[in-house]
Amino acid sequence: MALRGDGQPDSQLPARKIQLLLQYLRQVGLDLKSLTAGTHLTADQMLSLPPGHRLPASYYSRVYSAAAQRIDSPLIWGAGVGSESFEVMCHSMIGALTLGDALRLATRFELLLFKINRYRMALIDEGTDARAKLIYEIDLPLQGSPLIPTDWERGRHALAMARASGLRTWHSLCGWLIGQPMNCIEVRIAAPPINKKYHNALAAIFNCPVYFDAIETALYFEPDLLAHRLVQTRRSLEEFLSNSVYHLITLDDPSMSTSQAIRSLLSADLSKRIPSFSEIAAMLYMSESSLRRRLQAEATSYQAIKDEVRCEVAMDRLLHDYPGLAPLAEMLGFTEVSSFARSFKKWTGETPSNYRRRAMDENHPGNLVR
């Protein structure tokens, strides 16, 4: 399996998807050589591959992100992913407690910038309907836009693609925020259909019926979804934004990491009492049996995740903002310092005191190599 630059496994895409992106960027006048500098293949090499050949998804991400930084016009694809306004909006959302709170903040943010970006998302939840909806609007003259070349083969479907890509971005972003797929009732797109293959691909991504030629572009879902807690933190957001296009591509895959969601929940609440397995299941809106099956499929357990998080926090606190062994042990859910010390040695091979002493000695200014 290919690895990304950070050493993590890299998802793969058919070459055809990257080829379409490269062909489009060439037609809008961008230099493909500079856009593909972050990959191990040149643009010509990627364009010459068989359409079904598998390429790392990070290639698509790097090319898209590089292009987003070079395009002066508003990014009409993917709800502005890769732009500064998208990053600022995500930072405004991450402090919210629930998905509903986050989407309401995003609704206000996008309305403020609508006259500049010409696209926006809005949450519609009046509390009186059996369904909530997330609408996506784009008010841009797609015909004649510098981002819609007159000879582009997909130009006649630009409106459908722009609106569908906006919904896909928000669908994936919502799923990332709550640590599980966003279950939709139906999806409607205010544009003519493209073809059966494109329709089926969208239906597989959203996992619900998709209708074109609708009066609005929207995701419809159960209102209860808005009460789901955000499981991401400012730290995980920084990592997400460092490669947002890649993450949103891979999040189209419904097999999202439940263990990562639990890690985020524990990290956020570790200063309080560590929740039980049943409480974690409730936070994720799952039954205990469903949560257990998901963790088994990811080859882990709640106890293993707890230990990983507690070990990471313990090592960090021993070196920064150290409260003392007793308060640290209590914060991590241990009733006695001796129990914490035994567990820490099991995790790291040394006692907390030895770990702190050794690390402090190694980082002492007098020991630094000049």
Side-chain angles (χ1 to χ4, degrees), residues 94-315:
I94 203 64
L97 180 64
T98 67
L99 179 63
D101 293 337
L103 291 178
R104 293 181 189 99
L105 285 169
T107 297
R108 293 168 58 190
F109 182 92
E110 295 234 306
L111 181 59
L112 287 173
L113 293 182
F114 184 56
K115 289 184 178 180
I116 299 173
N117 289 339
R118 311 311 301 168
Y119 57 79
R120 74 179 184 113
M121 178 279 297
L123 172 66
I124 309 296
D125 175 38
E126 300 174 351
T128 57
D129 197 342
R131 304 187 303 180
K133 64 182 177 181
L134 184 157
I135 64 171
Y136 183 73
E137 298 180 26
I138 182 163
D139 179 21
L140 205 65
L142 296 180
Q143 299 302 322
S145 165
L147 295 184
I148 310 295
T150 54
D151 58 344
W152 184 37
E153 63 174 304
R154 293 193 164 193
R156 65 184 183 278
H157 301 306
L159 185 61
M161 294 173 63
R163 289 177 172 166
S165 70
L167 289 186
R168 285 180 62 176
T169 295
W170 277 103
H171 178 260
S172 296
L173 181 60
C174 288
W176 178 79
L177 287 169
I178 61 175
Q180 56 185 288
M182 181 185 188
N183 295 321
C184 294
I185 299 171
E186 66 179 26
V187 170
R188 295 186 176 273
I189 300 172
I194 297 178
N195 54 45
K196 187 66 173 178
K197 183 178 179 180
Y198 188 75
H199 177 276
N200 291 344
L202 289 180
I205 289 169
F206 294 119
N207 194 31
C208 69
V210 175
Y211 303 99
F212 284 86
D213 285 326
I215 60 173
E216 62 183 356
T217 299
L219 305 172
Y220 295 82
F221 54 92
E222 298 287 350
D224 291 349
L225 193 66
L226 296 173
H228 282 226
R229 269 192 71 164
L230 300 197
V231 302
Q232 304 298 340
T233 64
R234 294 197 181 278
R235 179 179 295 182
S236 61
L237 176 63
E238 290 295 341
E239 197 278 329
F240 173 85
L241 290 177
S242 69
N243 206 356
S244 57
V245 178
Y246 175 85
H247 287 295
L248 291 172
I249 291 171
T250 56
L251 284 175
D252 274 343
D253 181 355
S255 57
M256 302 173 68
S257 172
T258 301
S259 56
Q260 182 57 49
I262 293 175
R263 288 174 63 87
S264 295
L265 283 173
L266 291 178
S267 298
D269 278 348
L270 206 56
S271 59
K272 306 173 185 177
R273 180 180 63 83
I274 295 179
S276 66
F277 183 78
S278 60
E279 289 170 332
I280 282 288
M283 289 178 186
L284 294 174
Y285 289 76
M286 295 183 195
S287 68
E288 292 182 42
S289 58
S290 294
L291 178 55
R292 193 170 288 108
R293 283 195 299 271
R294 286 204 182 190
L295 292 178
Q296 287 173 346
E298 295 177 21
T300 189
S301 67
Y302 182 47
Q303 185 62 50
I305 297 171
K306 279 198 302 183
D307 287 345
E308 290 170 6
V309 172
R310 291 195 291 184
C311 180
E312 290 173 3
V313 172
M315 290 191 293

Side-chain angles (χ1 to χ4, degrees), residues 13 18 21 56-67 242-247 249:
L13 295 171
I18 300 178
L21 175 63
S58 58
Y59 284 17
Y60 186 99
S61 170
R62 289 169 186 166
V63 172
Y64 187 102
S65 298
S242 69
N243 206 356
S244 57
V245 178
Y246 175 85
H247 287 295
I249 291 171

